[in-house]
Amino acid sequence: MQTKPSVLVARAVFPEILHKLEQHFTVDSNQDDILFSAEELARRLQGKVGVFTTGSERISASLLAQCPELRICANMAVGYNNFDLPAMTSAGVVATNTPDVLTETTADFGFALLMATARRMAESEHFLRAGLWTRWSYDMFAGAEVHGSILGIIGMGRIGQGIARRGALGFGMKVLYCNRKPLDAATEAACQARHVSKTELLQTADHVMLVLPYSAEAHHTIGAAELALMKPTATLVNIARGGIVDDAALAAALRNRTIAAAGLDVFEGEPAVHPDLLTVPNVVLTPHIASATMPTRMAMAGLAADNLIGFLVHGKALTPLNAPAP
Ligand code: DGY
């Protein structure tokens, strides 16, 4: 009898997904969800041809050199800044991610965070829970208007476009965006969005939303200089990746009221959070949950599993990020 190929599932995952993988592979899983060190990951990958990863497993050139049998890494995330893609391509390892299945869910969350930030929902809830609410007053937790305001989106991929549609069609917002490449005219029209420079966007928008992928060039896209360009009444939302915002500079800007408020789902060095962000009141903080609904997480895990099965069993990954020479 032919032996099944061996794969590693590096983090805990839905039992249904493990079961699906077990139909095709000998599966080494990590249902205890203990985060592997780089050494432990390399050790567990010995003899494995595939790995199911999440954003917390770093696939580096050094790891690849230690795992010569590895042929595919399937990330359960649309972002893949945990992958050294050029090193994977030169090592002949296929990389896959999970586009599309999380677009609308993540756009929903981006919009929810925008509204919670603009309308001061976390700050006012903490006030109420602390027993500080004794009477109504005319300006208590008065925030910024969302409907009819100006939304600036940095990074206009699938999720950015979903947020633009929500803003323009649902809330009558004027939508500005900046992106490495402007959208084609039809997509721009569907999103009712106008391409502008980053400076114009920062100076004009009432709400700035970050949805760009992380790269070395995107590091600290928003730092002290950019925050200083924004309106003092403006809000900033980051659902992209930690490191795109200089979190120390943001905490200072929030404390000094350079901008009004921020909503953050991702952090530099997460799960650690810059201590200054924990002490400023005008920030809504969530633990990287923008794609976290059960149906969407199931779809993401299913697509990552299907990429392993597609490539290792049928010879073709569904959503490849690279095409290494065979
Ligand atoms: C993604 O898919 O990139 C999300 O951030 C979850 O990691």
Side-chain angles (χ1 to χ4, degrees), residues 55 76-80 98 102 106 239-241 266 288 290-291 297 300:
M76 182 188 154
V78 68
Y80 52 91
T98 58
L102 48 58
T106 306
I239 56 163
R241 276 291 181 269
V266 288
H288 202 147
S291 63
R297 286 287 166 85
M300 291 165 70

Side-chain angles (χ1 to χ4, degrees), residues 125-247:
E125 202 222 28
H126 294 153
F127 170 88
L128 181 151
R129 282 181 189 271
L132 299 171
W133 185 29
T134 54
R135 59 189 165 173
W136 182 92
S137 61
Y138 77 97
D139 62 348
M140 186 171 70
F141 294 107
E145 213 69 91
V146 174
H147 73 273
S149 64
I150 302 176
L151 171 62
I153 302 174
I154 303 186
M156 199 62 156
R158 288 168 280 234
I159 298 169
Q161 291 169 33
I163 290 166
R165 287 193 305 273
R166 282 160 177 75
L169 307 178
F171 288 80
M173 295 170 95
K174 179 173 162 191
V175 181
L176 308 176
Y177 75 97
C178 75
N179 202 37
R180 266 178 310 185
K181 212 168 119 217
L183 300 176
D184 61 72
T187 313
E188 256 191 11
C191 296
Q192 298 184 14
R194 185 165 68 84
H195 189 253
V196 295
S197 69
K198 179 174 150 190
T199 301
E200 181 179 343
L201 184 146
L202 292 171
Q203 287 174 332
T204 317
D206 296 307
H207 307 287
V208 174
M209 173 82 66
L210 304 173
V211 209
L212 65 166
Y214 183 82
S215 63
E217 306 81 70
H219 187 72
H220 288 185
T221 293
I222 301 293
E226 289 75 18
L227 290 160
L229 292 175
M230 291 172 65
K231 298 176 183 176
T233 50
T235 72
L236 176 74
V237 172
N238 186 9
I239 56 163
R241 276 291 181 269
I244 286 180
V245 174
D246 176 343
D247 285 349

Side-chain angles (χ1 to χ4, degrees), residues 230-303:
M230 291 172 65
K231 298 176 183 176
T233 50
T235 72
L236 176 74
V237 172
N238 186 9
I239 56 163
R241 276 291 181 269
I244 286 180
V245 174
D246 176 343
D247 285 349
L250 175 60
L254 290 168
R255 195 180 300 286
N256 304 332
R257 305 275 165 175
T258 307
I259 65 168
L264 306 174
D265 187 49
V266 288
F267 304 88
E268 279 189 291
E270 65 185 52
V273 175
H274 194 291
D276 293 354
L277 286 172
L278 298 172
T279 59
V280 284
N282 44 344
V283 62
V284 184
L285 307 169
T286 53
H288 202 147
I289 56 166
S291 63
T293 65
M294 288 305 256
T296 292
R297 286 287 166 85
M298 181 61 94
M300 291 165 70
L303 180 52

Side-chain angles (χ1 to χ4, degrees), residues 62-77:
S62 130
L63 180 105
L64 293 166
Q66 297 169 70
C67 307
E69 288 164 81
L70 193 60
R71 296 178 56 213
I72 175 168
C73 301
N75 221 23
M76 182 188 154

